[in-house]
Amino acid sequence: MGQAQELGQIIILNGVPRSGKSSIVAVIQETFDGLWMNLGVDRFMQMTPARYLPGIGLRPGGERQDIEPVVPILYSAMYESIAAHSRLGLNVVVDVGHHDGYAMERGILADSARRLNGLPVLFVGVRCPIEIIMERRQKTGWNVGSTGDSPIPHPVQLWQREVHIPGIL
């Protein structure tokens, strides 16, 4: 019988868009010992057919109820892939924005955590002041328009609120 394969480490970075997750991923890949695979939301969105986008990047608010039923399946596939990489001895870093702000509760984070049960995983909440997020949105050309009395667009407010609900990180 062969030797047991050492499990790869897993780091899940959870936060809103423009909070710095991708930059943290790059630093981990460049500076941590060993091979670190990036299996984050952007990678999975690149694989997702256009008609199902933004897929696991679907923002809070129940705006795309037509694709909501596939979102939990896409997350399940992503987390099964993360687990498979770890079991093969590969380290994995993931940038994602978990929330349960869909038209109906989906329980995606609990299911995702269950799929990593028994593996060496660290869930990290990445927080960033909303003012910095707005600056980053402006610098990268994202629409920063607002409605109503608030200078912060409603979708940005939803992300900020939903991703950091206790239990979501």
Side-chain angles (χ1 to χ4, degrees):
M1 303 242 358
Q3 292 182 319
Q5 178 73 41
E6 185 174 326
L7 298 172
Q9 302 293 306
I10 302 168
I11 300 174
I12 309 292
L13 302 170
N14 182 59
V16 301
R18 304 289 181 271
S19 62
K21 300 179 308 291
S22 296
S23 296
I24 296 169
V25 167
V27 169
I28 288 171
Q29 287 187 301
E30 292 171 17
T31 63
F32 281 28
D33 289 338
L35 174 61
W36 284 85
M37 304 300 293
N38 176 356
L39 297 181
V41 64
D42 292 340
R43 301 293 185 255
F44 277 80
M45 286 178 64
Q46 290 172 348
M47 295 186 289
T48 304
R51 70 179 180 266
Y52 293 103
L53 288 174
I56 63 174
L58 185 62
R59 65 187 184 191
E63 296 173 325
R64 289 288 315 270
Q65 294 179 33
D66 60 315
I67 66 168
E68 278 191 22
V70 301
V71 172
I73 297 166
L74 296 172
Y75 269 105
S76 296
M78 182 174 79
Y79 275 88
E80 287 293 335
S81 179
I82 293 164
H85 279 72
S86 174
R87 288 185 188 107
L88 290 170
L90 294 170
N91 300 311
V92 181
V93 60
V94 179
D95 62 322
V96 69
H98 276 288
H99 65 82
D100 213 0
Y102 302 101
M104 61 182 283
E105 190 171 313
R106 303 285 176 177
I108 293 170
L109 181 61
D111 179 70
S112 300
R114 182 188 59 76
R115 293 175 188 282
L116 301 180
N117 188 36
L119 299 173
V121 62
L122 176 65
F123 281 90
V124 179
V126 178
R127 296 179 179 266
C128 182
I130 200 159
E131 298 80 19
I132 302 297
I133 290 168
M134 293 304 295
E135 285 177 22
R136 291 174 180 170
R137 286 175 58 96
Q138 288 176 323
K139 288 179 182 175
T140 58
W142 282 81
N143 179 6
V144 294
S146 59
T147 59
D149 297 330
S150 175
I152 310 296
H154 183 66
V156 175
Q157 291 176 16
L158 281 175
W159 271 113
Q160 196 77 355
R161 184 184 73 222
E162 295 293 324
V163 170
H164 297 302
I165 290 175
I168 300 293
L169 300 174

